[in-house]
Amino acid sequence: MLGRDLGEWGHSRTPLRNAMPASMMPADVAEALVLDWVQPLDAERDRETVPLTDALGRVLAAAVPSPLDFPHWDNSAMDGYAVRYADVQGAAADHPVTLTVVEEIPAGQIPKVAIQPGQAARILTGSMVPTGADTIVMQENTQRQVDGPKGPVSDHRVEILTAPEPQAFVRHQGSFRQAGEPLLAAGLEICAPEMAVLAAAQCTQVPVYRRPRVAILSTGDELVTPDQPLQPGQIVDSNQYALAAQVTLAGAAPLCLGIVPDQPGALKTAIAEAVAQADMVLSSGGVSVGDYD
């Protein structure tokens, strides 16, 4: 964002006039001059709110706090059985522990039964851990028993063949983030993972920086637009399209201002108009030492 008047050229904090011949400027010095003029977007003045569906590729202007605990409740990281660790800590393949299965808990349903000593609940990945259970035994370490081909859940028993670790495969409420803690930091570019986090946090309106406006103009009497017939000696202005594409990919908004002839007055007017409506100006052409540059 060029925050200084063009008349200040050569008067930045970087001494330029005595550092090189007037006709030449090394790239690193030019870069330093441009960066010296940059005025960052303001988090308050240059903020806007967009729907989540339009937030991809934007930059967060403010931190997003977590409105919820993540996970929202204790849940299972595995398909298996929710148990009391005290019941199964001595389980082994040659000495299995048999528990009565009192409930099956699909994902999205609230457990209805508290687990008592000697009991277990069939549980699926993402399901809420029932009251009384503190450990998940993955189903690969169990052997299910059923009294009858289609008996109710309360008729089922399960053998625990391996002693689990305490708290195994329990994802505890708030273990990733607790409500009120920062979820995403300001200044972060919103990519696919951030979109998922914002959606999970039910953040449907997102505070972002506005897109910087970048004016693009091409200079040269020999240039024509792609839709014009090409005459001998002319070339098509392809730079403007390439620069506009790069600006868009960088997250800014290009303002294509067309072709400016090799006339100092016309160029001065075009740049003044570009500065008036954009944060940055990119010009292409006229940068050599020829008579018309």
Side-chain angles (χ1 to χ4, degrees):
M1 286 52 76
L2 299 184
R4 300 185 180 184
D5 185 87
L6 292 176
E8 294 185 60
W9 180 269
H11 297 284
S12 70
R13 291 190 292 272
T14 305
L16 296 175
R17 292 189 180 277
N18 298 324
M20 67 205 73
S23 60
M24 301 294 292
M25 181 182 294
D28 59 339
V29 176
E31 179 186 45
L33 176 63
V34 171
L35 294 178
D36 190 42
W37 284 2
V38 167
Q39 299 294 320
L41 293 177
D42 183 85
E44 294 298 328
R45 184 180 64 250
D46 296 308
R47 180 194 300 194
E48 61 185 16
T49 301
V50 300
L52 176 60
T53 50
D54 296 336
L56 183 64
R58 306 298 296 271
V59 177
L60 280 171
V64 176
S66 177
L68 307 166
D69 289 335
F70 285 91
H72 309 321
W73 47 74
D74 290 359
N75 71 87
S76 176
M78 285 286 180
D79 294 339
Y81 293 86
V83 302
R84 298 170 67 253
Y85 176 72
D87 289 339
V88 300
Q89 57 185 324
D94 59 353
H95 185 68
V97 173
T98 301
L99 302 174
T100 300
V101 180
V102 295
E103 185 179 13
E104 182 170 286
I105 311 171
Q109 293 193 15
I110 300 173
K112 301 179 178 63
V113 179
I115 302 304
Q116 304 296 328
Q119 295 180 342
R122 170 69 173 151
I123 197 166
L124 302 176
T125 303
S127 297
M128 294 180 67
V129 176
T131 301
D134 57 17
T135 300
I136 305 299
V137 179
M138 58 192 299
Q139 65 183 24
E140 290 82 355
N141 294 330
T142 67
Q143 180 65 51
R144 190 169 183 175
Q145 300 176 350
V146 179
D147 293 341
K150 294 184 179 179
V153 170
S154 59
D155 289 342
H156 298 183
R157 290 185 297 277
V158 63
E159 288 186 341
I160 309 300
L161 307 177
T162 302
E165 294 293 324
Q167 308 288 321
F169 302 119
V170 175
R171 295 185 290 212
H172 291 283
Q173 179 175 345
S175 58
F176 175 69
R177 285 290 187 278
Q178 294 183 356
E181 292 182 341
L183 196 59
L184 295 175
L188 192 65
E189 181 182 1
I190 302 172
C191 299
E194 290 74 27
M195 290 288 288
V197 171
L198 290 167
Q202 298 181 310
C203 183
T204 59
Q205 297 293 315
V206 185
V208 297
Y209 287 101
R210 66 171 176 83
R211 295 186 187 276
R213 297 179 294 270
V214 181
I216 304 171
L217 52 87
S218 301
T219 66
D221 292 338
E222 74 280 14
L223 297 179
V224 295
T225 59
D227 59 337
Q228 289 182 277
L230 195 61
Q231 303 298 323
Q234 293 182 328
I235 60 174
V236 176
D237 176 20
S238 58
N239 282 2
Q240 190 146 180
Y241 293 85
L243 291 172
Q246 292 285 4
V247 165
T248 300
L249 290 173
L255 303 175
C256 295
L257 302 183
I259 299 169
V260 183
D262 288 322
Q263 300 171 11
L267 181 59
K268 183 177 181 179
T269 298
I271 291 178
E273 292 176 352
V275 169
Q277 58 185 306
D279 301 295
M280 291 176 274
V281 178
L282 296 179
S283 64
S284 173
V287 295
S288 188
V289 292
D291 293 343
Y292 294 91
D293 290 321

